[in-house]
Amino acid sequence: MLAATLVASLVAATVSVTADPSPAPAQAAPLPSTFQWSSTGALVAPQQTAPGRTLVSVKDPSVVQVDGQYHVYATTADTNGGWSMTYFGGFTDWSQAGSAQQYHLTRTAIGGGYRAAPQVFYFEPDDQWYLVYQTGLPSFSTLDHPGAPQSASAAQNFMSNHGIADGTSSYVVDYWVACDDVNCFLYFNNDKQEFYRAQTTVAEFPNGFGDVELFMEAPNNSLFEATNVYKVGDTDQYLLIIEAIGSNGARYFRSWTSNRLDANFSEWTPLADTESNPFAGTANVSFPGGTWTSDISHGEMVRTDGNQTMEIDSCNMEYLYQGRNPSSGGDYSQLPYRLGLLTNTNPTPDCGDSGGGGEGGNVASVASSRCLDVPNQSTTNGTQVQIYDCWSGVNQQWTHTAAGELSVYSGGSRKCLDANGGGTSNGTTAIIWSCHGGANQRWNVNSNGSITNAQSGLCLDVSGASTANGALVQLWTCHGGTNQRWTL
């Protein structure tokens, strides 16, 4: 019965991983008090497909998932210092993001000129998709669907002016909308590190943003720009993150929490809010593939639902962000920003040992009926996995998580099945390694019994088609053999 249950579980997992990788429903779990993240390399660069423009960067991403597909809107900058926006999407795995075709919004009714810093969301009360961005004023367009950028309407303004009393700000940037059951709030800031908040009711949205208040201010770039506000799953908690500039000039994020979206800034409790203990920055982000950026800058969490509440799952946090080559310099508009993805690696114990979902059990080779096994119950990074007689030991209990990992052990000993060194060639060894969210640690469990690596597409394979105890496991071109099919 256990065998049948696990087989059914693995087949069911195929649907969620290969066809609909939308995040699992948000759990009622708290945020950690300190954060650890693992970053991909630079996933997305600008494609030279913008009419009449040569692009130098892609930045300020906003992301939603619909029907298992990611859709991203972002800012682009060109060699003339011009700013506009682009869309790319329709992919199901972040390893595909860089090759997704970029559609530039100058081709839509949004038109050319200064357009930047998008935020995309679904406003459920009106059954309408919105794209919010800056044009000097807070502007928006409607969309038929986030995957249909060509449907964008002409820009409209939330307000005829910013409502900032001093009138001396040289720029106002980074508009962000978040709503509760009653009200919607519009956040933005100026070049004086003054942060503002406008308010309207859900019933009036997108109109009524006339009530503007100074939300907070901070000296010396300790709060700089890029305000994000999220609802934390099923908890009565909200998360506020704001980009700061550190002592070395690198950008990072600070964070606070509150039990009310309408709370004044003094009512938000610091969470991870220093350069040495940030929400996300060089102090707590690892780069398994090599450090490509010192900046952890303007981006957006991958949300559980694309709607106006901005809800996230604290057990499966991912943050799409902008970074750049640390040796680059010059005018801000010419900095070569690229997009990368952070994955949180230390969810709280309330999330369970799997880091956010999935049921564990033995996984065995069809050819031999021997189980995927970590030799000698080792927890050492780099240990190559093998097949061995099945038993109930923890070194054979594998969990297929909502993030696509195959993890073994639990708590501080938790490890992930890993394509060694991010290898994409035949013979790459299958090892255990500390979980970091990279594509070489994500696995598609397929209905034909094969298990394929998300980065390379290669199959999990018992070397030499061996059926003996201790036969080593590797990656190999998929051929349908029984040494590449797995069950119980």
Side-chain angles (χ1 to χ4, degrees):
M1 180 60 71
L2 177 60
T5 301
L6 180 57
V7 172
S9 174
L10 290 176
V11 172
T14 305
V15 178
S16 63
V17 173
T18 62
D20 184 7
S22 300
Q27 298 189 31
L31 294 164
S33 57
T34 61
F35 295 84
Q36 294 294 323
W37 304 88
S38 178
S39 177
T40 65
L43 293 175
V44 181
Q47 296 175 4
Q48 300 304 332
T49 53
R53 303 170 65 219
T54 301
L55 303 182
V56 296
S57 67
V58 58
K59 58 193 301 290
D60 309 331
S62 179
V63 56
V64 293
Q65 281 183 282
V66 181
D67 297 330
Q69 296 183 332
Y70 295 102
H71 301 279
V72 181
Y73 287 79
T75 304
T76 61
D78 62 33
T79 52
N80 293 322
W83 302 92
S84 191
M85 298 186 296
T86 192
Y87 159 84
F88 59 95
F91 56 92
T92 59
D93 189 275
W94 285 105
S95 63
Q96 304 161 347
S99 59
Q101 184 176 1
Q102 294 175 16
Y103 184 94
H104 296 278
L105 300 187
T106 54
R107 302 168 61 186
T108 73
I110 290 174
Y114 176 59
R115 282 96 171 89
Q119 181 197 16
V120 62
F121 63 90
Y122 175 64
F123 190 68
E124 284 186 337
D126 290 347
D127 188 24
Q128 180 66 66
W129 285 95
Y130 280 84
L131 182 67
V132 176
Y133 49 95
Q134 61 198 43
T135 61
L137 288 171
S139 300
F140 69 90
S141 296
T142 58
L143 300 166
D144 294 342
H145 184 279
Q150 68 277 7
S151 69
S153 66
Q156 303 176 66
N157 294 329
F158 284 113
M159 300 180 290
S160 59
N161 61 69
H162 299 108
I164 299 176
D166 65 18
T168 62
S169 301
S170 61
Y171 65 79
V172 178
V173 294
D174 295 345
Y175 299 101
W176 179 271
V177 172
C179 306
D180 57 23
D181 292 339
V182 178
N183 294 306
C184 291
F185 298 88
L186 177 67
Y187 300 84
F188 54 92
N189 64 278
N190 64 6
D191 58 335
K192 298 179 179 181
Q193 285 72 66
E194 295 171 337
F195 292 76
Y196 292 86
R197 183 175 66 182
Q199 180 177 339
T200 189
T201 64
V202 169
E204 290 179 290
F205 183 87
N207 302 307
F209 280 114
D211 182 14
V212 177
E213 62 178 338
L214 179 64
F215 182 55
M216 73 178 96
E217 55 188 336
N220 304 321
N221 296 330
S222 60
L223 293 173
F224 188 65
E225 59 186 18
T227 303
N228 286 190
V229 182
Y230 301 100
K231 183 179 185 294
V232 182
D234 265 343
T235 68
D236 294 322
Q237 188 177 53
Y238 292 91
L239 170 69
L240 167 67
I241 68 171
I242 302 176
E243 183 178 326
I245 299 180
S247 57
N248 61 355
R251 301 190 179 210
Y252 69 99
F253 281 94
R254 300 172 64 189
S255 61
W256 297 260
T257 60
S258 176
N259 61 2
R260 294 181 9 247
L261 190 56
D262 63 351
N264 295 321
F265 183 64
S266 61
E267 300 172 296
W268 289 78
T269 301
L271 178 60
D273 73 326
T274 65
E275 187 174 358
S276 60
N277 178 33
F279 176 75
T282 55
N284 63 349
V285 173
S286 64
F287 294 87
T291 302
W292 67 278
T293 179
S294 297
D295 286 324
I296 307 297
S297 185
H298 191 139
E300 187 176 299
M301 298 282 277
V302 180
R303 291 173 266 138
T304 60
D305 194 339
N307 72 20
Q308 74 282 353
T309 63
M310 302 297 140
E311 186 173 332
I312 61 170
D313 182 356
S314 58
C315 294
N316 291 285
M317 289 187 289
E318 293 181 313
Y319 191 83
L320 185 64
Y321 74 102
Q322 66 180 35
R324 63 183 174 94
N325 187 324
S327 65
S328 61
D331 184 80
Y332 183 75
S333 70
Q334 302 305 297
L335 296 177
Y337 278 104
R338 304 291 185 261
L339 304 184
L341 184 73
L342 301 179
T343 299
N344 179 243
T345 58
N346 69 324
T348 67
D350 304 75
C351 294
D353 292 331
S354 69
E359 295 184 0
N362 299 104
V363 180
S365 170
V366 168
S368 65
S369 297
R370 291 193 162 97
C371 282
L372 191 65
D373 175 284
V374 184
N376 302 314
Q377 301 188 51
S378 173
T379 59
T380 302
N381 281 345
T383 301
Q384 186 174 4
V385 296
Q386 62 181 8
I387 57 170
Y388 210 86
D389 291 336
C390 298
W391 70 308
S392 59
V394 293
N395 63 323
Q396 290 188 359
Q397 300 300 301
W398 298 89
T399 297
H400 194 215
T401 74
E405 302 159 322
L406 276 169
S407 66
V408 65
Y409 308 131
S410 61
S413 299
R414 182 174 179 263
K415 301 292 180 179
C416 278
L417 188 66
D418 178 292
N420 192 7
T424 58
S425 59
N426 282 343
T428 297
T429 54
I431 62 173
I432 58 168
W433 197 270
S434 299
C435 300
H436 56 64
N440 68 316
Q441 290 190 351
R442 296 200 300 273
W443 303 88
N444 296 328
V445 181
N446 305 305
S447 58
N448 64 358
S450 66
I451 299 175
T452 50
N453 184 256
Q455 181 177 53
S456 66
L458 298 177
C459 273
L460 199 63
D461 174 287
V462 180
S463 180
S466 175
T467 60
N469 273 337
L472 296 174
V473 177
Q474 62 183 3
L475 275 69
W476 202 269
T477 302
C478 299
H479 52 64
T482 55
N483 67 316
Q484 292 186 347
R485 301 207 323 262
W486 302 85
T487 183
L488 238 199

